[in-house]
Amino acid sequence: MVANLPPHYHTKEAELKNAKTPEEKIAILLEMMAIMPKHKGTEKLQKELKSKIAKLRKEAAEKKVISRGSPVPTIEREGAGQVIIAGPPNTGKSTLLASMTKARPEIAEYPFTTKIPQPGMFQYQDIQIQMVDTPPLSPDISENWLGDLLRKSDIILILLDLADDNILERMDETISVLEQFKIKQQGLWEFTKKILWAGNKMDVPVWEDIKNILCEFYPVGRELLTISAQNMLNIDILGESIFKMLDIIRVYTKIPGKPPELKDPYTISARSTLEDLAKSIHKDLVKTFRYARLWKQGKGNPIIAGRDYILEDKDLVEIHAEDAR
Ligand SMILES: Nc1nc2c(ncn2[C@@H]2O[C@H](COP(=O)(O)OP(=O)(O)O)[C@@H](O)[C@H]2O)c(=O)[nH]1
Ligand SMILES: [Mg+2]
C-alpha cells in the first residue's frame, strides 16, 4: 500500500471496481495515473497501472471486432444548430460548455473526467445553438458512438490546450482519431465536415509560444481562434464564428394586420427562398402561397416578393396565401 495518495485516487479505485467495459476501465486508470503524484514511492504502482492499461487496450481492440457492450449515448438535437465540442483530454471542453451554456458538467484538473456527452444551449442573440461536451478524442478509448455523434453534427469544434507543451502529440492523436472516424475537414482535407479550431487557455503566458509551435507543423494553427473558457476571453467572437459557420439566417414572420414581434425567428439555411420558408412553416402553405410583404432588417417600407425571392438574415415576412378551402 502506497502512502499519501490523494483521496480522489481512492474514489477512482472504487469506480474502477464498478466499471464494466475495458474502455471505461482504461479511462478510470488514466485518471488514476494523472492524479497519482510522480515520485520514487509510486513507481511500482505506476508500472502496475500501465501494464493493466496495456492489457485492457488489447482486450478493447479484440472486442471492437465483435462490438456488443454498453448502451450507446445519443443526444437529441435542439435549436438552430448543433456544435460538438471535441478534442484531446483536459483542454477545457467542459469548462467551455459551462461558460457558454447553463449546463454544469464536471470539471477537473486531471484528464478523462467526461465520460458521456452532455448538451447545453448557447444563446446567440435571439437564437439558441446546441453545444455538446464530449469525452476526449483519444486513440484506444474513443468509442464508435462518438464518431457517429461527430459525423451527424453541424460543426465540430476542436478545442486544443495552449498551455500544453505536448500540443503536437495531442494534435497527431486528434487527427488520427478523426481519420479513424472517417472525418475530414471541409476545404482542407478531401471532404465534408465543418471544423472550427480553437485554442483554449490564452490567459496563460506561454500560449503564444505554443500556438507558434503548432503553426510550424500544422497550417490549421493559423486559423485557430484563441480563447479562454475560464476567463471568458473571445467567447463572443467564438459565438459569431459558430453562427457564420452554421450558414443559417433568421427570418421573422408577422400576421397580416398585426404588429411584428420580431422574436422567435425561423432559422433556415442561408440563401433559402420564400418558398423554402413556407415549406418549413407548413406543407400546405407551399401550395397556397401567393405573395409576401417583406421588410429588410424588419424596417422601412415593405416590398412585395414572390416565392423565388431569396431571403436574407433578419428579413421580416408577412405571407399572403389563398384561402385553403
Ligand atoms: N488557465 C486556464 N485553465 C483552464 C481554462 N479552461 C479550463 N481550464 C482548466 O483545465 C482543466 C481541464 O478542464 P476541463 O474543462 O475539465 O477539460 P476537459 O477535460 O477538456 O473537459 C481544469 O483544471 C480547468 O480548470 C482556461 O481557459 N484557462
Ligand atoms: Mg470534460
Side-chain angles (χ1 to χ4, degrees):
M1 183 77 201
V2 185
N4 293 332
L5 285 168
H8 227 95
Y9 183 89
H10 299 292
T11 321
K12 292 293 152 192
E13 250 177 351
E15 272 181 33
L16 185 64
K17 287 211 180 88
N18 293 322
K20 288 186 188 69
T21 65
E23 286 87 0
E24 276 174 62
K25 289 180 195 165
I26 293 171
I28 296 170
L29 283 163
L30 286 168
E31 274 185 66
M32 287 164 71
M33 289 280 286
I35 298 167
M36 190 192 319
K38 312 284 180 300
H39 54 66
K40 265 242 158 307
T42 61
E43 256 175 25
K44 189 161 163 268
L45 189 55
Q46 284 185 56
K47 262 200 190 145
E48 266 175 43
L49 294 195
K50 270 191 195 153
S51 81
K52 261 192 204 160
I53 292 171
K55 219 174 117 199
L56 284 163
R57 281 194 168 143
K58 247 178 136 180
E59 209 179 295
E62 280 161 16
K63 204 196 77 180
K64 262 194 190 152
V65 185
I66 30 163
S67 188
R68 295 168 266 124
S70 47
V72 175
T74 51
I75 296 286
E76 199 167 316
R77 256 174 184 276
E78 273 183 88
Q82 187 186 56
V83 180
I84 310 283
I85 309 171
N90 235 21
T91 61
K93 298 179 290 302
S94 300
T95 306
L96 184 62
L97 182 78
S99 61
M100 293 180 85
T101 75
K102 295 199 177 93
R104 289 294 164 261
E106 195 187 344
I107 294 164
E109 65 278 9
Y110 49 84
F112 305 100
T113 335
T114 307
K115 297 191 182 64
I116 53 166
Q118 185 173 346
M121 297 308 285
F122 166 53
Q123 184 81 36
Y124 175 78
Q125 298 177 0
D126 53 2
I127 60 169
Q128 298 220 317
I129 297 168
Q130 186 181 46
M131 311 284 299
V132 184
D133 182 24
T134 59
L137 291 180
S138 165
D140 305 318
I141 73 156
S142 288
E143 297 183 67
N144 288 335
W145 61 258
L146 183 54
D148 285 341
L149 195 64
L150 292 171
R151 281 190 299 268
K152 284 184 195 146
S153 67
D154 297 314
I155 296 175
I156 302 174
L157 195 171
I158 304 263
L159 193 64
L160 300 171
D161 182 350
L162 295 175
D164 184 0
D165 292 340
N166 297 318
I167 194 162
L168 292 178
E169 244 173 77
R170 297 290 90 77
M171 187 70 177
D172 290 346
E173 285 169 5
T174 300
I175 286 173
S176 90
V177 179
L178 289 179
E179 280 175 353
Q180 192 184 311
F181 286 155
K182 309 241 181 300
I183 289 165
K184 291 183 182 140
Q185 182 172 9
Q186 204 177 43
L188 186 68
W189 290 310
E190 67 203 59
F191 103 80
T192 46
K193 209 66 228 181
K194 289 178 185 166
I195 299 185
L196 183 56
W197 296 87
N200 190 27
K201 311 194 188 177
M202 71 176 296
D203 52 291
V204 296
V206 293
W207 76 269
E208 271 178 302
D209 297 334
I210 308 263
K211 185 185 169 195
N212 288 337
I213 294 173
L214 181 72
C215 288
E216 252 180 70
F217 291 87
Y218 286 99
V220 82
R222 273 173 242 130
E223 63 180 74
L224 198 73
L225 199 78
T226 52
I227 63 166
S228 167
Q230 201 166 270
N231 298 8
M232 295 295 281
L233 298 174
N234 287 348
I235 301 298
D236 47 347
I237 298 179
L238 180 64
E240 273 161 37
S241 306
I242 289 171
F243 180 70
K244 274 208 192 102
M245 210 179 217
L246 282 174
D247 205 25
I248 53 176
I249 54 171
R250 291 161 286 184
V251 180
Y252 305 90
T253 54
K254 79 182 270 306
I255 297 167
K258 296 237 170 105
E261 289 189 32
L262 294 179
K263 61 175 200 190
D264 299 328
Y266 282 88
T267 50
I268 51 178
S269 322
R271 296 166 298 282
S272 290
T273 61
L274 268 171
E275 183 170 281
D276 298 326
L277 174 71
K279 227 181 271 177
S280 67
I281 296 174
H282 195 279
K283 66 173 174 14
D284 292 343
L285 198 53
V286 187
K287 287 181 229 141
T288 58
F289 179 97
R290 287 173 58 219
Y291 68 94
R293 295 173 79 208
L294 185 148
W295 292 257
K296 296 313 273 180
Q297 300 279 326
K299 297 192 290 262
N301 292 322
I303 53 172
I304 303 297
R307 56 175 71 220
D308 293 335
Y309 185 89
I310 295 172
L311 294 160
E312 288 178 311
D313 193 34
K314 296 192 186 164
D315 281 350
L316 167 65
V317 172
E318 179 186 277
I319 292 180
H320 292 256
E322 288 159 26
D323 251 339
R325 253 173 296 166

